[in-house]
């Protein structure tokens, strides 16, 4: 629900900014302020999504309602900032390595299939006889 409220606010601001840009006939100040406001709202939306996910985890673990769980999750994240950063960075690195491995395996398989196509080898043997 909190994420939906932030998302709706961002959508409303974008609609108002679109109308302001049309009325101001492309004034650069309106465009810059619109981009700045949209960036701030997007940051708030991402922060709320992050806290909301951790709030759900804390609520499931401790059986509390949303607000006390959000407070507890925020305090927990704030007290372990370096650990959260290290785990996030390690997770992103492992995901990147996994994606690179999948791409490398697919490229190697495609190269081997093109280079040593078993059907071509069979047709070559069939034409010899």
């Amino acid at each position: 629900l909190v994420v939906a409220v932030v998302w709706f606010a961002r959508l409303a601001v974008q609609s108002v900014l679109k109308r302001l840009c049309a009325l101001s006939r492309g004034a650069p100040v309106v465009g810059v302020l619109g981009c700045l406001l949209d960036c701030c709202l997007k940051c708030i939306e991402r922060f709320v999504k992050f806290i909301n996910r951790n709030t759900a985890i804390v609520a499931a673990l401790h059986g509390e309602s949303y607000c006390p769980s959000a407070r507890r999750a925020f305090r927990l994240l704030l007290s372990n900032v370096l650990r959260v950063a290290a785990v996030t960075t390690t997770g992103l690195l492992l995901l990147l390595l996994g994606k690179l491995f999948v791409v490398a395996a697919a490229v190697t398989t495609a190269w081997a299939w093109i280079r040593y196509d078993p059907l071509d080898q069979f047709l070559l043997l069939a034409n010899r006889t």
Side-chain angles (χ1 to χ4, degrees):
L1 183 66
V2 178
V3 177
V5 170
V6 173
W7 182 76
F8 181 75
R10 186 168 166 239
L11 190 67
V13 167
Q14 284 178 350
S15 175
V16 169
L17 286 174
K18 196 174 200 181
R19 288 182 184 147
L20 273 175
C21 283
L23 289 175
S24 66
R25 295 187 177 99
V29 174
V30 174
V32 169
L33 289 176
C35 285
L36 184 67
L37 189 59
D38 190 44
C39 181
C40 289
L41 286 173
K42 184 159 182 118
C43 288
I44 291 170
E45 181 181 355
R46 291 184 71 189
F47 175 75
V48 167
K49 280 183 181 179
F50 181 71
I51 291 295
N52 195 28
R53 185 182 68 204
N54 289 301
T55 299
I57 293 169
V58 171
L61 285 174
H62 297 285
E64 297 175 340
S65 61
Y66 183 81
C67 289
S69 295
R71 193 176 315 118
R72 183 180 253 179
F74 184 72
R75 274 194 240 132
L76 186 63
L77 289 171
L78 201 59
S79 66
N80 296 308
V81 171
L82 294 177
R83 286 182 185 167
V84 170
V87 168
T88 302
T89 304
T90 305
L92 289 175
L93 182 65
L94 288 175
L95 281 173
L96 177 68
L97 289 175
K99 289 176 185 179
L100 290 176
F101 176 75
V102 168
V103 168
V107 167
T108 304
T109 304
W111 176 81
W113 184 266
I114 291 170
R115 181 87 171 126
Y116 306 106
D117 188 11
L119 184 61
D120 286 344
Q121 299 295 327
F122 177 72
L123 291 176
L124 188 70
L125 286 173
N127 287 339
R128 285 187 186 170
T129 58

